[in-house]
Amino acid sequence: MLKHNLPRVPSISVDEVADLVDGGALLLDIREANEWAENRIGGAQLRPLSLLGDWWRDLPRDRTVVLYCRSGNRSAHATNVLIKRAHYDNVLNLSGGILAWKRAGLSVETT
């Protein structure tokens, strides 16, 4: 079995996301457009990881940004990149991604 050695990144649980978003945090889905079309967390914006180089400069530095993907791996990677290479200090990874969101019984939007 392959073990991924992702660096620890600042993370947030599904229980904490709503309060942050209500407080002005930006929620970004970094999955691809076909995944977004299947289901997504309400209020999120699509920013595919594959296009990170196109959108990272547009992120606000004055508010919290929460990234999520399917399981939390891609968003952890993106969070790490934004912190280490782009020097953002306001980026969080949603632990467990949209799978954890759904396991918690929270609703998703579909097309």
Side-chain angles (χ1 to χ4, degrees):
M1 175 192 267
L2 281 177
K3 183 176 180 179
H4 296 280
N5 291 321
L6 290 173
R8 284 209 177 272
V9 296
S11 296
I12 187 169
S13 71
V14 295
D15 297 333
E16 300 168 297
V17 170
D19 287 339
L20 273 183
V21 171
D22 287 347
L26 178 61
L27 183 60
L28 299 182
D29 185 328
I30 65 153
R31 299 174 303 153
E32 297 302 316
N34 62 318
E35 295 172 287
W36 166 267
E38 289 176 16
N39 57 60
R40 62 202 159 273
I41 298 172
Q45 297 178 17
L46 177 63
R47 297 289 188 278
L49 178 60
S50 62
L51 301 174
L52 179 65
D54 295 339
W55 57 261
W56 73 267
R57 288 176 188 85
D58 297 330
L59 291 178
R61 290 191 181 265
D62 61 346
R63 64 194 271 213
T64 302
V65 178
V66 179
L67 305 179
Y68 78 90
C69 63
R70 180 181 160 276
S71 65
N73 288 331
R74 285 177 284 176
S75 53
H77 172 73
T79 300
N80 186 53
V81 167
L82 291 169
I83 291 169
K84 301 287 186 195
R85 295 188 187 156
H87 307 291
Y88 278 86
D89 60 3
N90 60 336
V91 183
L92 299 169
N93 175 49
L94 175 58
S95 295
I98 198 166
L99 291 177
W101 184 268
K102 290 193 277 188
R103 273 193 307 270
L106 299 169
S107 65
V108 295
E109 294 180 350
T110 58
T111 301

